[in-house]
Amino acid sequence: MVLSTGTNRIKTAVFFSGTGSNLRSLIKFSKLKKSPIFINLIITNNKLAKGLKYGAIFKIKKKIIKFKNKDAAENKILNELKKNKIELICLAGFMKILSNNFTKNFKGKILNIHPSLLPKYKGLNTHQRAIENKDKYSGCTVHFVNSRLDSGKIIVQKKVRILKKDTPDSLAKKILAQEHKLYPKAILKIFSL
Ligand code: GRF
């Protein structure tokens, strides 16, 4: 593994709210020689987010922004992004919906990962819904973010077989493992175009 110095790489911020396993996989990817991104900043709305530990381990600048007042929170974030010259935002389990006012500042520069084969199952409880509908497959999607929930242009998807014995938890685990590979793949795809 070759450590990147950050020069000439796309300055990236990762937004997350919880465990941060996708954050961790993006950090690891960003350290590879082939990575076009450098993670300069991580942002969370949740001061108890477990993912904060990865920021600490890898010494990445962090900002914890309360979302009590959405406009104020988004303005604070926009300021931070500007200060740090951020060019790309990766949403990774960020549980807040960004306003149109926010996203228009980063048009075509915000990515999200979602645990379903979009356009199926936007929003929450995707695994439970896929199992209840007796779907044979579910999976994950990386897409561009627009002002409508989980609706921007799809970049890449990975299918995962749903077995009869699968529960929402077991399916979530299998899909999460694929998410960790899919997000880097999406980034490589976008920036090698
Ligand atoms: C992932 O399943 C992601 O697709 C969804 O939220 C979950 C976040 O997991 N948006 P983690 O915090 O990256 O472990």
Side-chain angles (χ1 to χ4, degrees), residues 19-22 93 113-115 176 179:
T19 314
S21 67
N22 278 291
I113 186 149
H114 184 76
L176 195 59
E179 291 182 37

Side-chain angles (χ1 to χ4, degrees), residues 152-174:
K153 187 171 178 241
I154 291 171
I155 303 159
V156 278
Q157 293 188 304
K158 174 72 187 179
K159 259 185 173 182
V160 172
R161 185 96 167 89
I162 303 178
L163 303 176
K164 282 224 169 70
K165 62 175 186 195
D166 269 323
T167 62
D169 275 356
S170 69
L171 184 58
K173 262 195 200 146
K174 283 196 284 188

Side-chain angles (χ1 to χ4, degrees), residues 14-18 20 22-23 26 90-94 111-113 183:
V14 182
F15 292 18
F16 66 104
S17 298
N22 278 291
L23 165 67
L26 285 174
C90 293
L91 305 182
F94 185 61
L111 314 180
N112 183 39
I113 186 149
Y183 220 151

Side-chain angles (χ1 to χ4, degrees), residues 117 137-140 157-162 175 178 182:
L117 294 174
Y137 290 94
S138 188
C140 43
Q157 293 188 304
K158 174 72 187 179
K159 259 185 173 182
V160 172
R161 185 96 167 89
I162 303 178
I175 291 180
Q178 294 304 322
L182 195 68

